[in-house]
Amino acid sequence: MKQFKYFKRFSVIIITGGSSGIGCSIIKAIVNIAPEAQLCNLSRSNPDISLGNNGQHYPVDLSDAQALAEVSESLKARIESAPEGEILLVNNSGFGDYGRLPDLEIHKQLSMIDLNVRAVVDLSARLLPVILPRGGTIVTIASTAAFQPTPFLATYGATKAFVRNWSLALNEDLRGTQVRTLAVCPGPTHSNFFKAAGFETPPMDQGANQGLDMTSDQVAAYTLRAISKERSLIVTGWKNRLITFFGSQLPLVAVTRIGAGILRKMRLEKHKAAK
Ligand SMILES: NC(=O)c1ccc[n+]([C@@H]2O[C@H](COP(=O)([O-])OP(=O)(O)OC[C@H]3O[C@@H](n4cnc5c(N)ncnc54)[C@H](OP(=O)(O)O)[C@@H]3O)[C@@H](O)[C@H]2O)c1
């Protein structure tokens, strides 16, 4: 009920990657609690859920800098003509790619950096001038992978460390304005993520990460609660919080070695699944 009241402040809500997983769950929840808001989804494919009465899908590949620049202009015009109210931007689109260099396709690695990092900074920077006069919240979906190097997901983990730190620093840069930021760090979540990263079966369905996994609806619920509480950083769930806390107490080199042991096992599972 409290959340319902809080979300009434947003007149335009922009989310990237609402066509599946966590983004799709966030849209489903937002349509319920902020039915009046103009909901804009940015992804390559159309979400097969309702975007509400005032919703619009913007088909765009956000790893393409030119396409991002063009869609930003449409969004700016939309914000400028929208009724009074704050703006919520959720940078959620992202993907991982499992394996190690030089086996991994370099084009995919660079597209990942484009989507997970460049698009987040670019879209936020382009929209900030129209968000600042109205106030609002910029949410970025990072990951528990942001807290330590992640062998076999080296580029992915580094992109998430970037956006976690960037989001926290931006929050301080924006202090004194009516705009705040939130970095969300989910642990393993059931979505299309693992398939997109090259797994036939998500690691948690093979017995790894047991008890840490969540549904995308659960991650969406944590995210919306954190927005309404005006938090700047959350790790979803106490088990993920415990792991990131203990991990941060160990020397980085040791944490990286331990992570390599766990993630190497997943690589074997991936290869087994691929046979
Ligand atoms: N699942 C996990 O275990 C987990 C854990 C921590 C953090 N995360 C993060 O959570 C976020 C959402 O992932 P998810 O788990 O919900 O995975 P998902 O089901 O694969 O969803 C990814 C979303 O990103 C969009 N996307 C991918 N490439 C895009 C592109 N080039 N341009 C625009 N949109 C693009 C996809 O839409 P289209 O394909 O239609 O473009 C899709 O809607 C990601 O940032 C991910 O890194 C996931």
Side-chain angles (χ1 to χ4, degrees):
M1 210 55 192
K2 244 184 180 172
Q3 262 183 39
F4 184 81
K5 207 169 156 203
Y6 189 90
F7 276 80
K8 279 210 164 305
R9 71 186 56 211
F10 298 117
S11 60
V12 180
I13 297 177
I14 299 163
I15 175 155
T16 70
S19 59
S20 92
I22 296 169
C24 184
S25 292
I26 292 177
I27 288 181
K28 278 191 284 175
I30 279 177
V31 165
N32 270 328
I33 61 173
E36 306 301 326
Q38 298 185 19
L39 187 47
C40 307
N41 172 67
L42 277 59
S43 56
R44 293 167 302 179
S45 48
N46 203 338
D48 58 6
I49 50 161
S50 164
L51 296 178
N53 294 336
N54 304 316
Q56 188 175 342
H57 169 58
Y58 293 77
V60 60
D61 178 348
L62 289 170
S63 64
D64 176 341
Q66 183 58 36
L68 185 148
E70 282 165 18
V71 80
S72 300
E73 290 308 308
S74 307
L75 292 169
K76 274 158 80 175
R78 181 148 195 162
I79 290 171
E80 278 165 347
S81 64
E84 208 179 310
E86 294 189 10
I87 310 300
L88 173 63
L89 167 63
V90 184
N91 291 306
N92 163 73
S93 282
F95 72 90
D97 189 20
Y98 199 86
R100 53 187 172 183
L101 292 172
D103 308 341
L104 288 166
E105 221 183 285
I106 189 62
H107 174 73
K108 197 170 174 190
Q109 295 284 298
L110 297 179
S111 286
M112 192 200 306
I113 297 171
D114 282 341
L115 181 66
N116 296 11
V117 174
R118 191 193 46 73
V120 171
V121 177
D122 199 1
L123 187 62
S124 306
R126 285 175 189 275
L127 296 184
L128 251 178
V130 287
I131 299 178
L132 273 167
R134 289 173 170 259
T137 306
I138 299 176
V139 179
T140 302
I141 308 296
S143 168
T144 50
F147 289 84
Q148 69 287 307
T150 52
F152 302 103
L153 280 166
T155 306
Y156 176 73
T159 66
K160 293 300 175 181
F162 179 104
V163 292
R164 182 193 72 140
N165 289 347
W166 173 82
S167 175
L168 277 166
L170 182 63
N171 196 47
E172 292 305 317
D173 290 346
L174 292 171
R175 206 165 278 282
T177 74
Q178 294 306 308
V179 182
R180 62 197 71 80
T181 75
L182 162 67
V184 177
C185 299
T189 307
H190 293 272
S191 70
N192 203 38
F193 176 85
F194 290 102
K195 194 166 173 234
F199 291 87
E200 295 229 327
T201 313
M204 50 268 211
D205 291 353
Q206 301 165 15
N209 294 317
Q210 264 180 346
L212 291 178
D213 53 315
M214 284 189 183
T215 63
S216 55
D217 285 352
Q218 285 175 303
V219 173
Y222 274 106
T223 303
L224 297 198
R225 200 173 313 133
I227 294 170
S228 66
K229 289 188 167 176
E230 303 190 348
R231 303 278 302 276
S232 57
L233 173 72
I234 58 152
V235 175
T236 58
W238 68 268
K239 289 178 190 165
N240 286 318
R241 278 200 293 281
L242 208 63
I243 286 179
T244 50
F245 173 76
F246 282 118
S248 70
Q249 305 301 302
L250 294 171
L252 205 50
V253 174
V255 179
T256 310
R257 284 302 295 276
I258 294 167
I262 297 166
L263 289 155
R264 182 178 291 111
K265 191 163 168 281
M266 283 191 200
R267 185 171 72 95
L268 294 176
E269 297 295 346
K270 174 188 172 183
H271 283 207
K272 246 193 274 169
K275 274 184 189 164

